[in-house]
Amino acid sequence: MRLPRESLLFLGLSTAICALVGLVFGISTGSLIDPSPPRASSTPPATASSLAPLPTSTAPPLPQGVSPAPPGPQRSLILIGVDDAQAATPQLEGVWVITFQPGINEYYVISFPPSARFHLASLSGEMSMRDIYAEDLRQQLGFHFVRDAVQSRFRAFSIEADVVLDRGDFAGLVASIGGLDLTGQALAGPELLSNYDQYPVDDNANRMFFQQQVFKLLFETMAAQSWTPGSLLTYIEQLPQVQADPARESALDAFFVGAPVFPDSTIIWHDYLPEMEIGATP
């Protein structure tokens, strides 16, 4: 029997409303979605475009009769990237939230561009992440406003620690693993930063695409060289901005406890998109 035209319209409208409600609920509760990797808005330089998505590894099977340990509470780290951490007024390059659950071999990363905009109850008016970070620096109370911005959109994140890495810190990390192999050519940190700087500061699509590919390649290279979460923690804790802050160093120690081993883990990457902006306050 053919349904009346009015019934078909009502059924389609109901389906669309249910889908929209599910999307809004997932974002507001901090449930991570898994969109397709972002596409660059223009043709990237040769070194950037050569970074193909990396193969993912899987954890080895447990011996027969051994049950996996139950996953522990979720932990999140806010990584704040700046141009020069020792400058009087460092300029924000980006914010990344790294999340894992002990017992699950996955790292979730969500990337925020400096231009991402929020309306926070803790601050008056609409502000970009760049200006929110600058306000944190001005008040010198830690990165409370950056945390507010993240948790205004992802309330389920349990943020354990935050840390600042600048361009020199990142270049040093890449140098400590012998550079990154891009199509057979090993590039050290300065060369990677030079390629990154070919994108204008307002070209979020290309910059975030480049970040995603380099983060994944860095992770895979560390795994291949038997780096552990403890090895990475040792590198971070020798940085001047961490050594000068015992409370932050202690928080980092606590965050890394139970972090999944690199060779058996995968990275799941998400970009903070314009349609996620503004719509919630903490």
Side-chain angles (χ1 to χ4, degrees):
M1 177 182 298
R2 177 177 298 176
L3 292 173
R5 179 181 180 87
E6 292 79 0
S7 298
L8 290 173
L9 290 174
F10 179 78
L11 177 61
L13 180 60
S14 300
T15 301
I17 291 174
C18 290
L20 179 59
V21 170
L23 175 61
V24 172
F25 177 79
I27 292 175
S28 65
T29 58
S31 300
L32 292 175
I33 56 176
D34 191 8
S36 300
R39 296 183 180 274
S41 58
S42 60
T43 304
T47 54
S49 61
S50 63
L51 286 168
L54 297 167
T56 58
S57 58
T58 57
L62 292 169
Q64 187 173 3
V66 176
S67 300
Q74 179 197 89
R75 298 176 184 174
S76 296
L77 167 73
I78 295 180
L79 173 59
I80 300 172
V82 301
D83 58 348
D84 183 358
Q86 306 307 315
T89 56
Q91 299 301 305
L92 185 67
E93 299 269 355
V95 172
W96 303 271
V97 179
I98 303 171
T99 301
F100 69 86
Q101 280 187 277
I104 298 179
N105 290 340
E106 292 175 339
Y107 288 92
Y108 289 86
V109 181
I110 184 163
S111 171
F112 294 82
S115 61
R117 304 192 71 80
F118 304 86
H119 192 290
L120 303 181
S122 53
L123 292 171
S124 58
E126 179 185 319
M127 298 179 69
S128 69
M129 183 68 89
R130 180 183 292 108
D131 292 336
I132 291 169
Y133 165 75
E135 187 64 18
D136 270 331
L137 287 184
R138 188 183 72 83
Q139 297 200 24
Q140 296 185 354
L141 297 174
F143 297 109
H144 298 307
F145 297 134
V146 170
R147 289 190 180 212
D148 282 353
V150 170
Q151 293 193 307
S152 72
R153 304 304 290 133
F154 299 93
R155 294 187 176 111
F157 283 165
S158 177
I159 298 173
E160 301 287 333
D162 52 58
V163 65
V164 173
L165 296 184
D166 65 15
R167 294 165 67 93
D169 301 330
F170 179 77
L173 179 59
V174 171
S176 69
I177 61 172
L180 297 179
D181 187 359
L182 307 181
T183 63
Q185 181 183 11
L187 295 180
E191 287 80 11
L192 283 175
L193 294 175
S194 176
N195 281 300
Y196 180 67
D197 285 338
Q198 294 183 47
Y199 300 119
V201 293
D202 60 350
D203 188 356
N204 288 332
N206 274 312
R207 283 195 161 214
M208 294 171 82
F209 179 79
F210 191 93
Q211 292 166 12
Q212 175 187 357
Q213 300 304 300
V214 170
F215 263 72
K216 288 186 174 181
L217 184 56
L218 177 63
F219 179 84
E220 292 290 335
T221 304
M222 288 192 298
Q225 295 185 9
S226 300
W227 275 55
T228 65
S231 304
L232 181 58
L233 176 61
T234 298
Y235 176 83
I236 293 173
E237 289 189 330
Q238 56 84 35
L239 300 174
Q241 62 269 28
V242 177
Q243 288 186 336
D245 191 340
R248 177 162 287 112
E249 188 172 356
S250 178
L252 287 167
D253 287 340
F255 169 77
F256 274 91
V257 173
V261 296
F262 296 153
D264 297 334
S265 301
T266 59
I267 285 184
I268 301 174
W269 188 276
H270 306 270
D271 282 330
Y272 185 76
L273 302 174
E275 55 265 30
M276 298 179 184
E277 295 181 7
I278 299 300
T281 56

